[in-house]
Amino acid sequence: MFFILRALKLGRFFGRNALSEKFETDEPTRSLSGLILKNNVKAHFHNFPPEVTNSSKMECLQNVGDPSALIRATIGILITTIASKGELTNWPELLPSLCQLLDSSDYNTCEGAFGALQKICEDSADFLDSEVLNRPLNVLIPKFLNYFKHHSPKIRSHAIVVSTNLSSVKPKLLCFISTPSWSHNICHWRVSKMMHVRIGATKQKGLITRALSKDDNISKIYLTQQNLFALASDEDSEVRKNVCRALVMLLEVRVDRLLPHMQNIIEYILLRTQDPDESVALEACEFWLTLAEQQICREVLGAHLERLIPVLVHGMKYSEIDIILLKGDIEEDDMIPDNVQDIKPRFHKSKSHTQQHSIEEDGEDSDSDYGLDDDDALSDWNLRKCSAAALDVLANVFHDDLMPVLLPILKETLESTEWEVKESGILVLGAIAEGCGSQLCITAFCSEQMCKCHGPHLPRLIPFLISCLSEKKALVRSITCWTLSRYSHWIVNQPHEEYLKPLMTELLQRILDSNKRVQEAACSAFATLEEEACTELVPYLDTILKTLVFAFGKYQHKNLLILYDAIGTLADSVGHYLNQQNYIELLMPPLIEKWNTLKDEDKDLFPLLECLSSVATALQSGFLPYSKPVYERCVLLTEKTLEQINRASVDPEVEQPDKDFMIVALDLLSGLAEGLEGHIEVFVANSNIMSLLFQCMQDKMPEVRQSSFALLGDLTKACFQHVKPHINDFIPILGQNLNPEFISVCNNATWAIGEVSIQMKGDMTPYIGLVLTQLVEIINRPNTPKTLLENTAITIGRLGLVCPDMVAPMLPQFIRQWCTSLRNIRDNEEKDSAFRGVCAMIAANPLGVVQDFIFFCDAVASWQNPKPDLKEMFFKILHGFKTQVGEENWNQFSNQFPLPLRERLAASYSL
């Protein structure tokens, strides 16, 4: 209790000394004492003596109106901490007291009370609509509405935020919105699907649904929005900002209540998007992102596009302050060393086993940064980025309907002699690439009297953009790199001499640009192009490698890390085609030089290890001359990290190590095993990697287990003789990690089980019971990610291949989902073994597939070129079924098939 008593002694919490008005503690010390007390409340509140608890509560309420804003904020934090730890039911006088303090004529008291109430909304949301407390919402909302017209802008802002929170019964999320970082985080989720934000929102769903089902809460929303309308023209920018935030929140929660007023709201938000205060304009611009997610978007916004789109395009132009912060007047800076403090930390993404698909699909994790710069000066979410994001999502809503509005704007911006305007036009082209890029018309790029074509214009657009890569201004060159990357899918599928080759030539020149920002944009764009082109780049590998290797000697620290990514992506894309001696002699010396230079504790190892993992996998045996020191260092990194973890677990004074070093080492070992295959056996035999792997598989950190299971699977394929002695220890751990709450961990554990089963064959029998039931539950679990479904289906098939009699009885429980999960997988060895397994299970339990036989037929037809013996298995099962049911029943049954399926089965299996 020493710290609590010390906090109490420091001026009776944070206030003046009770015995002497002359004595005052300085603000930082008073605030620190409050924070010390807050930490003790969080850790030990339930052990507080009653007198300490009561004294703490009393002092907080007495000092909530402290003259110091810092102290008022500290008291607000302490109040909500006490309330959340002890629950509002144990402090019944808190809300009435704070409401009473709102009526104080003293500004500090009123503002302090509002600040405390806003924090309570954030931390004690569930209690505010509680019957136990007589539903405080019924009192609080009408109370707060009275302050919408307060003479103080700060109080008006508080009233807007708290009232909207309470009326929508979404306090945690809205208070999150009220923080300066909300705009960046929530909208970056819309762009990048950042799941931590999505999960945070989902937690409130039940509360929102319950609350909004009550008429009185709907009425409160209505009352709040009416008061918001009254503040629409407020002179204070902070108030206007909070009005916009509140409207966005209400749009997300109850769009139906705003619908009768939607035209007026759109007019208001349109005006505020042009607000002279950029922070207000940014909050208003969020409205368009939210509206685009609503089903009513086309209906209510269509008539306003002619005025909205120019506003968004104008918002995408660099402001003067942006250009100053980006040092846009400096064209050549590649010789200026980077400031290490300006380089953002990089985080490793653990290896996850995935399948390739026979049908092209939109990436679920696609990311777009709207040509945004990584400079800290502009790394926060701003009006330019938000405007580009809004145009992107609106293009995906309106598609072709957006083009008549956009085309004149594009013509004007792209032909402008002002580089800032032209740059914004190129950004527009990138923003609309996904939604309506393929519909771009020639009128945007040629005079009206010459234009007689109204078809897609990408054949002229791409050469135009490629020419912009040579623009004088570095910021124009960098945004052009990004925009072209957005069209890389189209480019790769056109004649290479016309599009891919010219683009690749120019991008490689930009990779060696004299401006670091252009270098970065070009490297990122080239990595995107590599992913799209894959082996189409093989004819150009010599030129590509020479350019990338030359960049090693040219790049400063920051871009060197991005260069690693471009090289790793190239290796992933072209695979074994990189395994030629002349390519190896070009690529490996600079990589190994960096490898030897970096110390074990240097975090620059992360991107280098990731790069080497991809290179090792691609080079296969070509990496063998470099593999021994790489292997040994990875084992050493893993061993050192585990030793530090063990020391920290027994000695609190020892700091926990950064486990990313171990994770990237495991992933590189996995890459070595995949690339070297049997050649890695001698290294495994002479190391303690299996015992280290056993420890890593049990680590508390999911990412460590994820990488461990990936390595186990690859070692199983490469040198099972060293894995087999440990199977009794490994399989129970794998079974314990078949938990889809940790998707990537579960995915890799599932895949590793499949690889082990292929090697174990019939010896897998004792372990089937440890894993099969869980795998069947996973494959039938709703909303299971596609990758996990695919790997689960393959592993079930493999278990059925080696132990058909044990797995076949469960066939009816999984066969439909099994077939639908694998129908789009490309032909490969894993798919082959899985289908052989399901054929073996059907032979053992033919009745198990009868009810879902159409799905099996569809899965069989998904094969492009099965091996002859596998095709014979399919033939026997299909014709056996037809024989069993008879010609007439088969005809009735097959007439249900879609025409392409009937044609495919007839052509391949004579059905």
Side-chain angles (χ1 to χ4, degrees), residues 507-546:
L507 272 181
L508 290 175
Q509 290 184 29
R510 298 287 68 78
I511 284 174
L512 302 179
D513 200 276
S514 58
N515 182 275
K516 291 190 286 189
R517 185 172 292 107
V518 178
Q519 293 173 359
E520 176 185 359
C523 261
S524 297
F526 197 75
T528 302
L529 186 65
E530 289 170 340
E531 291 176 329
E532 288 289 347
C534 294
T535 54
E536 302 288 345
L537 294 178
V538 170
Y540 315 107
L541 270 177
D542 188 69
T543 302
I544 293 170
L545 287 172
K546 286 178 179 177

Side-chain angles (χ1 to χ4, degrees), residues 515-585:
N515 182 275
K516 291 190 286 189
R517 185 172 292 107
V518 178
Q519 293 173 359
E520 176 185 359
C523 261
S524 297
F526 197 75
T528 302
L529 186 65
E530 289 170 340
E531 291 176 329
E532 288 289 347
C534 294
T535 54
E536 302 288 345
L537 294 178
V538 170
Y540 315 107
L541 270 177
D542 188 69
T543 302
I544 293 170
L545 287 172
K546 286 178 179 177
T547 302
L548 296 179
V549 168
F550 187 82
F552 267 107
K554 183 178 180 67
Y555 278 13
Q556 299 294 334
H557 188 178
K558 179 181 177 182
N559 286 348
L560 191 60
L561 306 183
I562 298 167
L563 180 62
Y564 292 144
D565 180 63
I567 292 172
T569 304
L570 177 67
D572 292 335
S573 300
V574 302
H576 66 88
Y577 290 101
L578 203 59
N579 186 13
Q580 293 189 29
Q581 191 60 36
N582 56 327
Y583 297 157
I584 295 172
E585 291 174 357

Side-chain angles (χ1 to χ4, degrees), residues 275-325:
D275 198 284
D277 187 319
E278 184 171 325
S279 64
V280 177
L282 174 58
E283 295 298 338
C285 197
E286 305 284 1
F287 182 88
W288 312 119
L289 283 165
T290 303
L291 182 58
E293 296 173 352
Q294 307 293 330
Q295 292 183 350
I296 62 167
C297 182
R298 285 187 67 94
E299 176 187 349
V300 302
L301 195 56
H304 301 274
L305 290 180
E306 289 190 7
R307 289 187 298 148
L308 172 60
I309 299 305
V311 171
L312 293 178
V313 173
H314 184 268
M316 293 162 69
K317 179 184 172 184
Y318 277 126
S319 66
E320 291 184 8
I321 188 64
D322 288 343
I323 297 172
I324 293 172
L325 291 173

